[in-house]
């Protein structure tokens, strides 16, 4: 099997020099599959890194004009606040390394914004990503059934991912939950095969969430199911369907896992919860010590173990287990401002996109409903953030890129392409005004 994967990715590398979009899809696939982790025989190829370099070269050579929408600019500002955290970091060199590594997500974002800009490419990207999430879920469940399990102190066995993309049970569960809104877009396809794939992947995702034993992910799943109808027009009529889905998920959950999820009511007796309380207290102290720029990107666990854990005889290197505490403790007030600016621009973009696309019933439903699905993913991440440190999770920045890319796809023939100058509107007694199509962005028809 490793030979097949090696040949496949070498072929994608070669073809990416001709088509950066194919290379981008290959980058996403390699990031999810992590072929070097699955098969040590091909680790020496460094597929993820090599493919990224080739795609960047092809992108620079073939894309004549790189677009920088507002959401991308705010993402760059957020990245800048990460650099600000380095000088006063508890471990500056490691913090700088983390900030530079975040640049990989910036590159992904820019590539998606500028390459996934036709209806065909948007659809292809969604399909590939859905299949990849299905692979993560299926491979994790198969390994779990074969005895490859997460051994914790809990009474239940917990599934974990087969590579570092999915990560530990908590991270894997959250990945499944926040990916489902994107997967569900395929349910709107007229193709029976597309719907069948979506249903299969959704079932795999829900099963994976259950067997991770992650209380945060499970509660986030139930929360999203119940909230989803309320964010749609006339959505109240679908509330009974949501209740039914929750009931089905609960009935399908094995008893041992039900008891674990119900144990959240007795969290004062839960050792894990007590450790988190101690960690949150330490994180608040980190923020008070360095309120402006924080203790450094990715340095929460280090700071916790080295300085802030109260029992210095037995220190713990626990991570934040809170998106909100992670943000203010690692990046300070400046980082919080940067992240809030990014979220504001993204929600604003999705709102405009909904108003722009909704009237065009001739468009595929997965395009018209993408802003809604994007918002659902963001809400899921924000909700899970009460107990999860997911600030640097790729989902935030990939969804922002897809939303920005969608804004460049013309919805009808009357929308000008990127080379069309703005129309001058003359109104008697007033200065000339200019009208721009779409979202204040050039809606280019050209394949990039």
């Amino acid at each position: 099997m490793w030979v097949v994967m090696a040949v496949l990715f070498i072929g994608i590398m070669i073809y990416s020099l001709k088509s950066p979009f194919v290379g981008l899809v290959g980058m996403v696939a390699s990031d999810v599959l992590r072929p070097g982790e699955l098969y040590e025989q091909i680790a020496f190829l460094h597929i993820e890194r090599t493919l990224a370099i080739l795609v960047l070269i092809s992108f620079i050579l073939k894309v004549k004009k790189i677009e920088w929408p507002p959401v991308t600019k705010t993402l760059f500002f957020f990245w800048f606040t990460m650099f600000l955290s380095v000088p006063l970091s508890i471990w500056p060199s490691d913090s700088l390394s983390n900030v530079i590594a975040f640049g990989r997500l910036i590159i992904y974002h820019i590539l998606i914004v500028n390459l996934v800009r036709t209806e065909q490419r948007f659809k292809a990207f969604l399909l590939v990503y859905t299949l990849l999430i299905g692979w993560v879920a299926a491979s994790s469940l198969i390994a779990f059934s074969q005895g490859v399990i997460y051994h914790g102190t809990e009474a239940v066995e917990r599934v974990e991912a087969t590579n570092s993309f999915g990560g530990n049970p908590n991270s894997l569960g959250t990945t499944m939950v926040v990916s489902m809104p994107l997967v569900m877009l395929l349910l709107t396809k007229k193709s029976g095969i597309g719907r069948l794939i979506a249903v299969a992947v959704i079932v795999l995702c829900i099963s994976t969430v259950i067997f991770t034993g992650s209380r945060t992910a499970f509660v986030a799943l139930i929360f999203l199911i119940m909230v989803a109808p309320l964010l749609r027009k006339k959505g109240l009529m679908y509330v009974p369907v949501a209740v039914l889905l929750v009931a089905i998920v609960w009935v399908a959950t094995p008893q041992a896992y039900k008891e674990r999820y119900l144990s959240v009511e007795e969290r004062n007796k839960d050792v894990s919860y007590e450790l988190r309380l101690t960690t949150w207290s330490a994180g608040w102290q980190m923020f008070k010590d360095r309120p402006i720029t924080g203790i450094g990107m990715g340095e929460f666990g280090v700071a916790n173990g080295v300085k802030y854990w109260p029992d210095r005889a037995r220190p713990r290197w626990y991570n934040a287990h809170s998106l909100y505490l992670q943000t203010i403790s690692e990046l300070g007030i400046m980082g919080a401002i940067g992240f809030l600016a990014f979220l504001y621009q993204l929600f604003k973009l999705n709102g405009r996109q909904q108003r722009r696309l909704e009237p065009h019933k001739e468009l595929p439903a997965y395009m018209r409903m993408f802003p809604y699905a994007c918002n659902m993913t963001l809400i899921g991440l924000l909700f899970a953030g009460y107990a999860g440190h997911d600030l640097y999770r790729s989902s935030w920045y990939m969804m922002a890129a897809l939303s920005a890319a969608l804004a460049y796809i013309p919805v009808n023939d009357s929308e000008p392409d990127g080379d069309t100058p703005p129309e001058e509107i003359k109104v008697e007694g007033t200065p000339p005004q200019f009208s721009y199509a779409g979202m204040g962005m050039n809606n280019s028809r050209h394949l990039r």
Side-chain angles (χ1 to χ4, degrees):
M1 187 63 187
W2 67 267
V3 176
V4 175
M5 186 164 288
V7 171
L8 173 64
F9 278 104
I10 289 174
I12 292 174
M13 288 179 192
I14 296 172
Y15 198 78
S16 67
L17 294 173
K18 177 181 179 182
S19 172
F21 173 73
V22 172
L24 170 63
V25 173
M27 283 178 63
V28 175
S30 66
D31 187 52
V32 174
L33 298 177
R34 308 285 169 93
E37 294 180 14
L38 294 178
Y39 305 104
E40 61 181 16
Q41 298 94 328
I42 58 177
F44 74 95
L45 292 174
H46 299 289
I47 290 174
E48 295 97 319
R49 188 183 309 165
T50 306
L51 187 54
I53 293 171
L54 293 175
V55 172
L56 274 176
I57 293 172
S58 179
F59 176 75
I60 293 170
L61 292 176
K62 292 184 176 295
V63 176
K64 297 179 180 179
K65 181 182 179 183
I66 300 176
E67 303 290 353
W68 306 91
V71 72
T72 301
K73 293 176 182 177
T74 55
L75 177 55
F76 267 88
F77 174 68
F78 180 46
W79 193 27
F80 172 71
T81 67
M82 297 179 195
F83 281 99
L84 293 179
S85 75
V86 172
L88 298 180
S89 171
I90 196 165
W91 188 358
S93 61
D94 189 59
S95 179
L96 179 60
S97 176
N98 292 331
V99 174
I100 293 173
F102 188 83
R104 179 179 65 89
L105 296 181
I106 300 288
I107 292 171
Y108 266 127
H109 177 91
I110 293 172
L111 290 174
I112 292 172
V113 169
N114 286 275
L115 294 175
V116 189
R117 291 174 55 171
T118 68
E119 182 181 324
Q120 295 77 13
R121 290 183 176 186
F122 196 83
K123 177 173 64 176
F125 192 95
L126 291 180
L127 178 60
V128 170
Y129 190 77
T130 295
L131 292 173
L132 289 170
I133 291 299
W135 178 88
V136 172
S139 62
S140 301
L141 290 172
I142 291 172
F144 179 68
S145 68
Q146 294 174 344
V148 182
I149 58 176
Y150 172 79
H151 298 278
T153 58
E154 298 86 356
V156 297
E157 297 175 339
R158 304 175 64 188
V159 61
E160 65 178 355
T162 54
N163 62 24
S164 58
F165 173 82
N168 61 46
N170 294 329
S171 178
L172 176 61
T174 301
T175 297
M176 295 296 103
V177 172
V178 301
S179 296
M180 275 191 277
L182 209 60
V183 173
M184 293 184 71
L185 290 176
L186 290 183
L187 288 175
T188 65
K189 285 181 63 63
K190 296 180 180 179
S191 166
I193 296 178
R195 291 181 177 180
L196 184 62
I197 291 173
V199 169
V201 173
I202 290 169
V203 171
L204 287 170
C205 287
I206 293 175
S207 301
T208 304
V209 170
I210 291 173
F211 287 106
T212 60
S214 171
R215 285 170 288 198
T216 300
F218 189 83
V219 174
L221 172 64
I222 301 302
F223 173 78
L224 279 189
I225 292 175
M226 295 305 301
V227 167
L230 304 180
L231 298 182
R232 294 291 296 170
K233 292 181 180 179
K234 301 179 181 178
L236 288 177
M237 67 178 66
Y238 296 105
V239 170
V241 177
V243 173
L244 178 61
L245 286 175
V246 170
I248 292 173
V249 170
W250 186 249
V251 169
T253 301
Q255 184 60 35
Y257 293 87
K258 287 180 182 177
E259 292 175 1
R260 174 172 172 79
Y261 298 134
L262 289 173
S263 69
V264 71
E265 298 177 357
E266 302 177 352
R267 57 183 180 270
N268 59 317
K269 302 177 183 178
D270 191 316
V271 175
S272 175
Y273 181 74
E274 292 296 329
L275 290 174
R276 290 191 183 193
L277 286 181
T278 304
T279 294
W280 292 341
S281 177
W284 180 246
Q285 187 60 48
M286 295 177 200
F287 170 67
K288 290 195 294 184
D289 286 351
R290 293 176 174 85
I292 306 301
T293 59
I295 51 98
M297 178 187 176
E299 300 305 311
F300 191 101
V302 173
N304 210 3
V306 170
K307 181 178 180 181
Y308 291 94
W309 192 259
D311 185 358
R312 300 312 308 153
R314 292 184 295 274
R316 301 289 187 103
W317 276 260
Y318 265 49
N319 276 313
H321 289 286
S322 167
L323 166 69
Y324 309 101
L325 194 61
Q326 179 188 25
T327 304
I328 62 172
S329 61
E330 291 191 359
L331 304 179
I333 294 173
M334 291 301 298
I337 292 173
F339 189 59
L340 286 173
F342 168 74
L343 288 179
Y344 172 77
Q345 281 293 344
L346 182 49
F347 277 115
K348 180 180 177 182
L349 175 60
N350 285 334
R352 289 181 175 178
Q353 285 285 76
Q354 276 188 306
R355 294 189 292 273
R356 171 181 175 245
L357 298 172
E358 192 63 34
H360 295 274
K361 304 301 181 184
E362 74 281 1
L363 291 175
Y366 61 82
M367 286 179 60
R368 289 185 284 110
M369 293 189 66
F370 176 82
Y372 167 72
C374 183
N375 283 340
M376 288 300 301
T377 294
L378 298 178
I379 291 171
L381 286 166
L382 290 170
F383 180 84
Y386 82 92
H389 43 276
D390 293 325
L391 181 61
Y392 313 118
R393 178 182 286 272
S394 61
S395 305
W396 300 101
Y397 316 109
M398 183 189 75
M399 296 301 285
L402 286 172
S403 189
L406 183 61
Y408 286 99
I409 301 176
V411 296
N412 55 52
D413 292 337
S414 64
E415 288 197 15
D417 61 25
D419 297 322
T420 304
E423 176 188 358
E424 183 175 332
I425 303 175
K426 293 183 178 179
V427 180
E428 186 176 354
T430 65
Q433 299 178 4
F434 295 93
S435 173
Y436 294 85
M439 317 304 301
M441 307 173 188
N442 294 323
N443 291 305
S444 176
R445 288 187 176 81
H446 300 304
L447 295 181
R448 295 175 180 262

